[in-house]
Amino acid sequence: MRKLNAAVDRFAYNHPRFGIPNLMRVIVAGNVLVYLLAIFAGYAPISFLLFDWSAITHGELWRLVTFIFMPGYYSTGDVLWLALFLYFYYMIGTVLEREWGTPKFSLYYLSGVVLTVLVGILTALISGGNVQIAGTSYVNLSMFFAFAMLYPETQFLVFFIIPVKVKWLAWIDAIFFALSVLSSLVRLDIAGALLPVVALLNFFVFFWTNISDEISYRRGRSRYQTSHQTIHFKSAVRQQRKKEAAQGYRHKCEVCGRTDTDYPDLQFRYCSKCAGYHCFCEDHIFNHTHFTE
């Protein structure tokens, strides 16, 4: 998994022109257009966009792509929820594209789409029946996992009132994934059970290095939290905080120079492997050259 993660980063670095700029704008615009057609013309005229394996085998190959633009909401009563979801995913996708760059974000979304198509094809071939897929809702939900991994402390106003951190919403998202898989298995809907799984697979491929490093960090912290070295380390951190508080900030990354004053939502940690006590932001705690003196 780590090799796949490295291959993704290498591909994005070596192909800076790859991808579709403002990809989420294209996805959202397509969803809105199809929804409006469904309202004014009904579902039947737009059903030719659906992923339908039986129709695909009869030459309607465009369905392998156009199912992306099926929002899955066709009654006028759902327009508010559709607008909220599309705005939410547009905002998240825009942030991820700005964070990763167009090549990596496009690769993330398109690989999720390809995995979705493969699930539909393999399920149809194995079961011998027809498989239909409308939209990429699980790919969008996995995109939220990516956002939560990068910005866990960001807050959203649920129902425009209740402030909730993204990391807790991600756990709710995970519960939804689990319930979707279980309910599909109960109905013997193999495709419905596999779609959430492959969406998570896509997420793990892109974040395996971050996840494994975080696990290693937590294991190491638990193992040494009562050692003499840790006690001295905590004492030094307290002294360092007092010193930096007088300068207008408490934490400053040794690599990029960002401080907790300028970036209050950014997490900072001290590296226990460096000689001395050096602070790093969440982007560089696992990605820096250790101090030896």
Side-chain angles (χ1 to χ4, degrees):
M1 193 73 76
R2 185 181 289 270
K3 291 183 178 179
L4 284 175
N5 181 267
V8 167
D9 289 334
R10 187 165 55 251
F11 178 87
Y13 179 80
N14 292 330
H15 300 82
R17 297 183 180 275
F18 174 80
I20 304 173
N22 299 312
L23 175 59
M24 286 310 298
R25 183 179 300 176
V26 176
I27 300 297
V28 169
N31 274 259
V32 171
L33 178 61
V34 172
Y35 181 75
L36 293 176
L37 290 174
I39 290 178
F40 293 108
Y43 178 75
I46 65 167
S47 61
F48 73 95
L49 301 174
L50 187 73
F51 178 98
D52 186 300
W53 179 242
S54 178
I56 291 172
T57 56
H58 286 83
E60 299 182 11
L61 299 181
W62 63 83
R63 293 175 179 264
L64 294 171
V65 176
T66 55
F67 81 97
I68 299 173
F69 303 107
M70 301 286 286
Y73 300 92
Y74 300 110
S75 65
T76 56
D78 294 320
V79 64
L80 178 60
W81 284 110
L82 177 65
L84 289 174
F85 280 126
L86 290 181
Y87 172 76
F88 183 67
Y89 291 131
Y90 171 76
M91 183 270 294
I92 289 177
T94 302
V95 172
L96 289 177
E97 184 173 1
R98 186 170 61 247
E99 175 72 23
W100 282 342
T102 297
K104 186 172 182 178
F105 175 70
S106 296
L107 192 62
Y108 183 88
Y109 200 92
L110 295 178
S111 63
V113 171
V114 170
L115 288 172
T116 300
V117 170
L118 290 177
V119 167
I121 295 174
L122 292 176
T123 304
L125 293 176
I126 294 173
S127 66
N130 190 28
V131 173
Q132 294 182 335
I133 303 174
T136 54
S137 57
Y138 290 114
V139 177
N140 293 336
L141 288 172
S142 74
M143 194 167 62
F144 179 66
F145 280 126
F147 182 87
M149 193 72 184
L150 294 173
Y151 306 101
E153 301 299 321
T154 301
Q155 289 188 343
F156 286 127
L157 293 178
V158 178
F159 302 115
F160 304 101
I161 299 175
I162 308 172
V164 181
K165 289 186 177 181
V166 166
K167 61 183 178 182
W168 303 123
L169 293 176
W171 281 109
I172 297 175
D173 194 6
I175 294 172
F176 173 78
F177 266 68
L179 292 176
S180 298
V181 172
L182 291 176
S183 62
S184 297
L185 290 176
V186 170
R187 300 193 308 270
L188 299 180
D189 180 5
I190 304 302
L194 289 178
L195 288 176
V197 174
V198 297
L200 285 178
L201 176 62
N202 191 43
F203 165 76
F204 281 116
V205 167
F206 276 74
F207 280 92
W208 182 254
T209 299
N210 301 67
I211 295 172
S212 59
D213 286 345
E214 180 70 15
I215 293 173
S216 299
Y217 169 79
R218 292 185 180 276
R219 285 178 177 175
R221 186 179 63 176
S222 175
R223 185 180 300 116
Y224 299 113
Q225 63 181 353
T226 58
S227 67
H228 292 294
Q229 179 183 0
T230 302
I231 294 173
H232 292 310
F233 176 75
K234 290 181 178 179
S235 176
V237 169
R238 285 194 295 269
Q239 295 177 4
Q240 182 70 11
R241 285 178 176 175
K242 292 180 180 178
K243 177 181 177 181
E244 293 179 342
Q247 300 174 338
Y249 58 83
R250 296 180 62 186
H251 305 291
K252 181 178 180 180
C253 179
E254 295 278 4
V255 176
C256 63
R258 290 184 291 183
T259 68
D260 56 349
T261 301
D262 297 328
Y263 299 88
D265 294 329
L266 200 64
Q267 291 185 335
F268 293 85
R269 293 175 180 169
Y270 288 83
C271 180
S272 59
K273 295 182 180 180
C274 289
Y277 304 102
H278 299 276
C279 182
F280 300 92
C281 69
E282 61 189 39
D283 296 328
H284 297 109
I285 183 64
F286 301 119
N287 183 24
H288 66 270
T289 302
H290 294 297
F291 287 84
T292 57
E293 296 181 357

